[in-house]
Amino acid sequence: MQNTVAVITLDNPPVNGLGFETRVETAGGLDRALADSGVAAIVLTGAGKLFSGGADIREFNTPKATAEPTLHTLIRIVESASKPVVAALNGTCVGGGLELALACHYRVATANTSVGLPEVRIGLLPGAGGTQRLPRAVGVEAALNMIVSGANVSVRDLARTALFDEVTQDDAVEAAIAFARKAVVEKRPLKRVRDIRIDYPNADGYFGFARNSVAAVTKNYPAPLKCVDAVAAAVSKPFEEGLRYERGLFLQLVQTPESRALRHAFFAQRAAAKIPDIPDDTPTRSIRNVAVIGAGTMGGGIAMSFLSAGLPVTLLEMSPELLDRGVATIRRNFEASVAKKKLAPDKLDAAMALLRPTLHYDDLSNADLVIEAVFEEMDIKQQVFRELQRATKPDAILATNTSTLDVNRIAAATSRPQDVLGMHFFSPANVMKLLEVVRGDKTGKDVLKTVMDVAKRIRKTAVVAGVCDGFIGNRMVEHYLRQAMFLLEEGAAPAQVDRALEKFGMAMGPFRMSDLAGNDVGWRIRKRRYVEKPHMRYSRIADRLCESGRYGQKTGAGWYRYEAGRRDAIADPAVDAMIVSYRKELGVTPRKIADDEIVDRLILALVNEGARILEEGIALRASDIDLVYLTGYGFPPYRGGPMFYADTLGLYNVARRMKELARIPNADAEFWNPAPLLARLAGEGRTFNG
Ligand SMILES: NC(=O)c1ccc[n+]([C@@H]2O[C@H](COP(=O)([O-])OP(=O)(O)OC[C@H]3O[C@@H](n4cnc5c(N)ncnc54)[C@H](O)[C@@H]3O)[C@@H](O)[C@H]2O)c1
């Protein structure tokens, strides 16, 4: 038949990634269709509900990623095809997927298609012609916005551009076949995006402006500015030269520490969901109803996370007053989100309608998952768990939000420890992404898997941790904070320490962070430590601060002072005086401390404790530790997390530096002994994330 249209389908679940096998099959299909005189045109589409999510990430850093036919080759085959190639876009089409679609002669899309070039998010730029073809298809400014932000854009916003030849309400493939037939019958010339002339008169002015605005908001990230350069080249250079220029920039960016760090974080996210002894097909329990015990700071935020995800929550408190106060706080927080336009008003009503306040355990009989967030006291928690065992279904999952208590002991208060685990949220729980999922000695595999899946539903980044005091994040931060306090004794001021860490990239220095979290939290923990670990050194300086009632923002004063209703940390001479007198008591002559030393001591303290956590199996992998710090502690994404940062320094250098730090007068020499795992890896020339 004269008018046969061949349909080639990218089929590589879950997102039709353009992996090696898919590229081989696609190139083979194209060659066959082009050689077959019975085929007049070709439709290229994706299996399932999308076109393609781009490169196959499972192939990154393997020889397959660069094996022929590469994406570049595939793009050339499509673009130079002698028969019309029509892309049928049936949903998401991003990254390399969009670059491939841009090489097709025509594009037909369903109305729910969205397109984007997200490479900048992993510190790269689109390296298969995206920066040269997209400006030709949608215009310079729209393309630059998409490429610099990495954001997805819906067909609606680009419908009138050369990116889409037709937008259909029907099936994309059917519409594309009809389109292809018409193109053949009408003998339409093969349209190539590369041939579109860009007419952009005031390019220099515009790109100058774009560079300034981009530079102002992306100072630690080289990729966005390179994106501007690449798009500028689409205007100033002939197409082939522009492609070569794009390639050059791409190869530069791949090598940058920032891109390596962002790629590491990207893979860390995926790796964290995998638990070595729990296969993906492990059966899970169904979670339809949730209960939260305690409507305080954490209980309220945890309830909000589930309500926002559309899950009904029963909230239990001790008295009607406390319950009312808790519910009112939840409502107020949702209302604040509406005021900030972060939540639609009808979503507020929908969320509140799912909330069921109660004072009675008997109302928990239909709960599939219960999260306890009562006071941090073992006796109280055990009592609550005994009640839960009595009042809930036999297969309900029972979770505790404890920060410091032994999850195994809490589980032991029940006769079904297999159903018990920790779900350690971070404050404010409705905002913070991190969730440490604490696996008890007896936690069932199905229980752990169920909770990891639930975390996704409430949009949390879940990381598995073993049972120990502080789990991953807080166990490490204790040593970070110990170093911060020692530095005060030795001569630094809180503001200097904070500034040094913020310059390093931390969202907030340690003293501002402590003032936000409440200095009394650490105080309580230290009092326990003085008894449990008398050999461990702590500066008593923070205790002095707390003894004077300076708990932080909530009392208007901590390491800094705060004006009513404001969060700006203002240096306070009273704190300086307190530090000076404390040094005198210790007989310490203050010295000038360089910012580099401050950063090394705090960050390497995280690294050394992280290494112990890894060796003990508390964390499953180094990248889990990195993820905890990236999502829960404001660690700079362009440094990839503490363990990755140590890898980039080189573990030999890290171990050496620790030995130097041990020799500083007043140093906690014992702590700076490199952890055995760190020493071993350093000796073998290896890395944590190896
Ligand atoms: N605040 C944080 O930053 C943070 C972070 C992570 C985990 N946690 C943990 O979360 C838990 C709660 O902390 P919080 O900061 O929300 O404390 P909170 O004092 O604000 O809230 C505790 C709530 O539990 C209620 N409660 C106490 N005993 C109860 C009982 N037997 N039955 C029902 N309700 C009871 C109290 O009335 C109070 O409203 C603690 O285990 C804490 O360690 C706190």
Side-chain angles (χ1 to χ4, degrees):
M1 197 170 68
Q2 266 294 283
N3 224 351
T4 300
V5 176
V7 177
I8 298 173
T9 305
L10 307 169
D11 187 1
N12 181 17
V15 297
N16 301 329
L18 296 162
F20 175 67
E21 281 82 13
T22 307
R23 297 194 307 268
V24 168
E25 294 286 323
T26 309
L30 284 162
D31 285 344
R32 278 197 304 281
L34 290 170
D36 185 340
S37 59
V39 171
I42 300 161
V43 163
L44 187 58
T45 191
K49 292 194 166 69
L50 82 170
F51 184 78
S52 169
D56 190 335
I57 55 160
R58 290 166 295 197
E59 256 180 24
F60 273 32
N61 305 326
T62 73
K64 278 186 172 180
T66 47
E68 289 285 6
T70 62
L71 180 56
H72 290 93
T73 302
L74 205 55
I75 283 174
R76 287 205 186 269
I77 297 175
V78 168
E79 194 170 56
S80 61
S82 53
K83 300 174 184 177
V85 184
V86 183
L89 307 182
N90 50 332
T92 307
C93 174
V94 296
L98 179 57
E99 292 179 297
L100 180 60
L102 277 162
C104 295
H105 303 120
Y106 304 99
R107 282 155 299 277
V108 172
T110 53
N112 70 341
T113 295
S114 65
V115 295
L117 291 172
E119 289 79 355
V120 71
R121 298 195 171 166
I122 47 171
L124 299 174
L125 52 69
T131 65
Q132 304 304 296
R133 289 192 183 87
L134 193 64
R136 288 175 160 81
V138 304
V140 169
E141 293 174 23
L144 187 69
N145 283 342
M146 283 175 68
I147 293 169
V148 167
S149 69
N152 265 13
V153 177
S154 114
V155 160
R156 266 190 314 279
D157 299 324
L158 297 169
R160 271 178 241 290
T161 67
L163 186 56
F164 303 111
D165 296 278
E166 187 178 309
V167 177
T168 178
Q169 300 301 326
D170 304 325
D171 180 70
V173 174
E174 294 300 321
I177 291 173
F179 188 97
R181 290 220 164 95
K182 216 158 72 191
V184 171
V185 170
E186 293 174 5
K187 296 200 169 47
R188 290 199 198 174
L190 302 183
K191 259 184 18 185
R192 299 189 310 173
V193 170
R194 63 189 281 149
D195 297 332
I196 298 175
R197 245 180 63 92
I198 299 187
D199 210 7
Y200 198 71
N202 187 19
D204 286 350
Y206 172 71
F207 285 112
F209 163 77
R211 276 194 190 92
N212 286 339
S213 2
V214 168
V217 290
T218 59
K219 66 175 174 359
N220 293 306
Y221 298 86
L225 269 183
K226 299 282 186 215
C227 290
V228 180
D229 291 346
V231 174
V235 179
S236 66
K237 296 182 195 298
F239 184 79
E240 282 297 333
E241 221 177 283
L243 274 189
R244 276 196 298 279
Y245 186 71
E246 174 196 87
R247 189 81 204 135
L249 294 180
F250 180 87
L251 293 175
Q252 279 175 33
L253 286 174
V254 168
Q255 301 299 334
T256 59
E258 292 82 2
S259 175
R260 285 175 194 274
L262 293 171
R263 271 150 38 212
H264 169 68
F266 180 83
F267 286 112
Q269 288 273 1
R270 272 150 188 78
K274 302 213 180 313
I275 307 160
D277 63 332
I278 304 185
D280 281 348
D281 57 2
T282 303
T284 54
R285 302 186 190 179
S286 115
I287 305 293
R288 287 195 209 93
N289 293 288
V290 176
V292 175
I293 314 299
T297 312
M298 294 308 289
I302 294 167
M304 287 177 75
S305 300
F306 285 95
L307 295 170
S308 300
L311 279 140
V313 176
T314 306
L315 183 63
L316 186 142
E317 252 295 346
M318 292 191 291
S319 75
E321 296 74 33
L322 291 167
L323 190 57
D324 289 348
R325 192 194 59 182
V327 172
T329 307
I330 291 177
R331 175 174 282 282
R332 212 178 38 249
N333 286 338
F334 275 133
E335 280 168 356
S337 302
V338 171
K340 286 187 216 146
K341 301 223 183 308
K342 286 187 177 159
L343 186 75
D346 59 326
K347 289 266 163 57
L348 181 156
D349 296 335
M352 290 308 287
L354 291 170
L355 181 62
R356 288 171 203 146
T358 185
L359 297 168
H360 309 290
Y361 276 87
D362 290 344
D363 288 334
L364 305 184
S365 59
N366 73 343
D368 305 303
L369 166 67
V370 186
I371 301 164
E372 164 280 308
V374 304
F375 300 137
E376 186 76 342
E377 296 282 340
M378 183 55 87
D379 293 349
I380 302 179
K381 297 222 192 250
Q382 288 188 329
Q383 179 57 34
V384 167
F385 271 73
R386 277 191 286 272
E387 290 283 349
L388 289 177
Q389 150 154 319
R390 182 190 60 74
T392 57
K393 294 189 289 193
D395 64 344
I397 296 177
L398 309 179
T400 171
N401 182 45
T402 183
S403 304
T404 53
L405 301 175
D406 183 339
V407 174
N408 291 327
R409 280 183 60 202
I410 297 175
T414 73
S415 59
R416 37 192 261 222
Q418 71 278 6
D419 297 335
V420 179
L421 81 178
M423 285 178 79
H424 185 226
F425 289 83
F426 288 71
S427 182
N430 53 317
V431 177
M432 294 295 288
K433 283 266 160 263
L434 178 60
L435 173 65
E436 286 179 324
V437 177
V438 186
R439 181 178 193 171
D441 289 348
K442 299 195 173 143
T443 304
K445 292 184 178 183
D446 60 331
V447 169
L448 190 59
K449 176 86 169 70
T450 304
V451 168
M452 294 301 281
D453 290 353
V454 164
K456 267 192 222 140
R457 285 167 70 190
I458 57 170
R459 295 160 164 249
K460 299 292 178 200
T461 300
V463 175
V464 176
V467 175
C468 71
D469 196 334
F471 311 126
I472 298 173
N474 284 345
R475 179 168 152 185
M476 286 163 67
V477 95
E478 188 172 336
H479 296 282
Y480 173 90
L481 292 173
R482 278 173 67 236
Q483 291 301 322
M485 307 301 163
F486 292 147
L487 284 162
L488 299 188
E489 289 182 356
E490 292 165 41
Q496 186 200 355
V497 176
D498 281 351
R499 236 186 353 258
L501 270 300
E502 286 163 19
K503 221 165 76 200
F504 173 80
M506 298 300 288
M508 211 182 271
F511 293 104
R512 287 212 295 139
M513 181 182 85
S514 300
D515 272 1
L516 178 65
N519 294 311
D520 51 321
V521 178
W523 194 23
R524 250 196 322 271
I525 294 172
R526 282 194 304 279
K527 283 187 205 160
R528 194 150 54 84
R529 292 280 185 274
Y530 298 153
V531 180
E532 289 169 358
K533 298 185 177 173
H535 64 282
M536 186 125 113
R537 258 187 64 200
Y538 288 88
S539 166
R540 301 292 168 116
I541 202 155
D543 301 355
R544 294 283 171 90
L545 189 84
C546 291
E547 282 156 16
S548 66
R550 301 185 69 121
Y551 288 179
Q553 286 192 18
K554 61 186 167 190
T555 58
W559 294 107
Y560 299 90
R561 64 182 182 83
Y562 299 86
E563 281 172 4
R566 308 202 45 150
R567 288 171 178 270
D568 312 76
I570 305 165
D572 190 341
V575 173
D576 297 339
M578 188 196 85
I579 295 171
V580 168
S581 94
Y582 186 69
R583 282 181 199 141
K584 281 208 185 101
E585 271 177 50
L586 294 180
V588 173
T589 312
R591 64 185 171 95
K592 207 168 155 3
I593 303 175
D595 285 1
D596 284 354
E597 182 187 328
I598 295 175
V599 169
D600 283 354
R601 284 175 62 174
L602 269 71
I603 301 295
L604 297 190
L606 293 178
V607 172
N608 213 17
E609 194 62 17
R612 294 194 177 102
I613 282 174
L614 198 54
E615 184 146 48
E616 288 169 27
I618 296 297
L620 291 171
R621 46 183 89 79
S623 66
D624 280 4
I625 298 177
D626 288 334
L627 200 54
V628 164
Y629 268 77
L630 292 168
T631 53
Y633 292 82
F635 202 91
Y638 58 88
R639 295 196 194 271
M643 309 312 272
F644 183 82
Y645 174 69
D647 285 346
T648 60
L649 295 177
L651 297 188
Y652 175 83
N653 299 317
V654 168
R656 228 183 125 257
R657 181 72 178 131
M658 287 181 181
K659 286 177 201 147
E660 273 171 20
L661 293 174
R663 289 195 294 271
I664 289 175
N666 190 48
D668 185 355
E670 195 191 332
F671 175 78
W672 286 122
N673 256 333
L677 173 70
L678 170 56
R680 198 171 66 239
L681 292 174
E684 292 167 2
R686 289 169 55 202
T687 58
F688 287 125
N689 282 291

